[in-house]
């Protein structure tokens, strides 16, 4: 009974997980721009907004790998409600405080909750999906994130702009509403995780070193691609409101633009399986990252709102490819006993990008302008396209030559026994012709005196003919005659014996 619901994507445990993720991600996507607007209302500049956005990922940066270790050797489901509670509490308290350091701290708690939920959910998908279902199930799982990213910014924009433009009060209201949205996810977290899907959970002593996981071919590339894609999504969510403020774009319009990008991401993931069959993994990953990098850099251009909407729609479609394919790449490349740790390392890379990219974006925006961070994102995505071009090498390809390597060893040992096998082979032919001359030999009795030159035959004893003539019965028969005729016929008879031995052979 536990196997049947695992194979049905969009039903059962996967459907409930997608619904819960949609609410959790919707709360986060609603809270992130609300935090930026509230920070601006409290007097923060571009650099401070970047720092607050970076703190969201700072605390999870140090907790991801221990959580992954714990998930590798235990259950995943308890992380889901814990993550929802942390998200809800972080959102609510971020709307209640009135200082920038306190906002940054509660933003970090919200990020920790999101990390707990995502590690638990991704580990469940990896455990309960067959290898040929991982691309599809991870794609459906990330639809939940896209749904949340679609609804959250729209709701945040509507709430923030609905109270006469007073950013301080309306952004706090948006944060409180996002806390309630996150709490709704608890209603869908039942019977998500089946009984042990892998056999590695009960042996906590078997820990694969982090260096070995990172050394597996395909894991570093998957981590960097995911980091570049998520950093682009994160900075778009956090910095598009700042761009809107500088270009006099209303918060509601900014929310619609972010939702348009999320809708395009959903459309990409719905058609991902046909795209993979049509284009192939490597070409799809490389092309999407390259085009996304160019479009991210294009956001820095002072284009009109309709053109910006088209650019964000295409950008969202391209960004929808990187996350699910990077998850599958990391899961397939990592050792079986460390899949959750590998996914945690991927999330650590994501959080590292979320810490470094907004902080760097804040510094660049303060020094150059608010559009400059998008150029930085474009460069990172083009670099990710280069890694995607190299492909996601499978760990199984390395041991393959090692298995065929020992094959040449049998040929080395084979030739050694073969010469002894060929040596005894000619023995039957020697015994075959040997009796024939013996049968013809005794017929001419005058030739029986021939055994007299046996001393001469012992001189050419090395040849094989003498060894063949030694065992026959003529030798013992000639013994009494040898004693009589030995000195007499020693000279003339050797040629006749030699001719008689050579002719039949």
């Amino acid at each position: 009974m536990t196997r049947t619901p695992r194979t049905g994507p969009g039903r059962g445990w996967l459907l409930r997980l997608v619904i819960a993720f949609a609410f959790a991600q919707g709360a986060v996507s609603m809270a992130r721009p609300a935090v930026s607007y509230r920070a601006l209302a409290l007097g923060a500049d571009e650099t401070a907004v970047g720092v607050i956005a970076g703190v969201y990922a700072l605390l999870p940066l140090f907790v991801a790998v221990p959580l992954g270790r714990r998930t590798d050797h235990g259950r995943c489901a308890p992380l889901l409600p814990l993550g929802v509670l942390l998200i809800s509490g972080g959102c609510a308290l971020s709307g209640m405080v009135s200082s920038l350091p306190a906002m940054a701290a509660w933003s970090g708690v919200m990020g920790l909750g999101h990390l707990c939920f995502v590690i638990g959910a991704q580990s469940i998908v990896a455990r309960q999906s067959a290898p040929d279902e991982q691309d599809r199930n991870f794609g459906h799982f990330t639809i939940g994130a896209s749904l949340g990213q679609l609804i959250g910014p729209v709701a945040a924009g509507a709430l923030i702009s609905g109270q006469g433009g007073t950013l301080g009060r309306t952004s706090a209201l948006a944060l409180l509403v996002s806390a309630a949205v996150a709490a709704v996810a608890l209603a869908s977290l039942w019977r998500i995780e089946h009984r042990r899907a892998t056999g590695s959970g009960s042996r906590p002593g078997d820990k694969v070193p982090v260096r070995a996981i990172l050394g597996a071919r395909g894991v570093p590339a998957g981590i960097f691609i995911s980091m570049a894609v998520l950093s682009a999504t994160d900075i778009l969510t956090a910095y598009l409101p700042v761009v809107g403020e500088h270009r006099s774009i209303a918060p509601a319009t900014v929310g619609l633009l972010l939702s348009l990008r999320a809708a395009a991401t959903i459309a990409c993931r719905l058609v991902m399986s046909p795209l993979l069959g049509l284009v192939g993994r490597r070409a799809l990953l490389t092309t999407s990252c390259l085009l996304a990098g160019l479009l991210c850099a294009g956001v820095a251009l002072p284009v009109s709102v309709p053109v910006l909407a088209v650019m964000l729609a295409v950008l969202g479609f391209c960004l929808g490819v990187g996350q699910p394919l990077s998850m599958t790449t990391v899961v397939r490349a990592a050792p079986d006993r460390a899949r959750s740790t590998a996914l945690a390392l991927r999330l650590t890379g994501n959080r590292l990008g979320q810490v470094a990219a907004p902080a760097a974006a804040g510094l660049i925006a303060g020094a150059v302008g608010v559009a400059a961070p998008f150029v930085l994102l474009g460069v990172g995505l083009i670099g990710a396209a280069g890694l995607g071009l190299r492909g996601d090498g499978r760990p199984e390809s390395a041991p393959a030559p090692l298995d065929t390597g020992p094959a040449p060893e049998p040929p080395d040992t084979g030739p050694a026994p073969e010469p002894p096998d060929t040596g005894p082979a000619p023995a039957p032919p020697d015994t075959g012709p040997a009796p024939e001359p013996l049968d013809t030999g005794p017929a001419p009795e005058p030739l029986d005196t021939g055994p007299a030159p046996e001393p001469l035959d012992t001189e050419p004893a090395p040849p094989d003919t003498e060894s063949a003539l030694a065992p026959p019965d003529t030798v013992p028969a000639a013994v009494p005659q040898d004693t009589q005729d030995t000195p007499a016929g020693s000279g003339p008879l050797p040629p006749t014996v030699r001719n008689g031995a050579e002719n039949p052979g």
Side-chain angles (χ1 to χ4, degrees), residues 220-241:
I223 290 175
F224 184 81
I225 291 171
S226 176
M227 180 174 61
V229 171
L230 187 63
S231 296
T233 305
D234 197 64
I235 289 184
L236 275 174
T237 304
Y239 262 81
L240 200 60

Side-chain angles (χ1 to χ4, degrees), residues 346-366:
R346 173 185 167 275
L347 291 174
T348 301
N350 290 348
R351 295 303 184 261
L352 181 61
Q354 288 178 312
V355 169
L363 294 176
I364 294 174

Side-chain angles (χ1 to χ4, degrees), residues 134-209:
Q134 286 176 349
D135 278 331
R136 181 185 60 190
N137 287 354
F138 274 121
H140 289 171
F141 166 73
T142 52
I143 287 176
S146 300
L147 285 172
Q149 292 169 356
L150 171 65
I151 300 172
V154 174
L159 288 172
I160 292 172
S161 63
Q163 300 291 333
T166 56
L167 287 180
R169 185 158 52 92
T170 56
S171 59
L173 177 62
L175 287 169
L176 292 175
V177 172
S178 64
V181 170
V184 177
L186 293 172
S188 185
L189 295 178
W190 53 277
R191 297 185 65 183
I192 294 289
E193 186 179 20
H194 296 283
R195 286 191 175 92
R196 189 71 62 203
T198 59
S200 61
S202 61
R203 300 173 63 184
D206 298 339
K207 291 185 179 180
V208 180

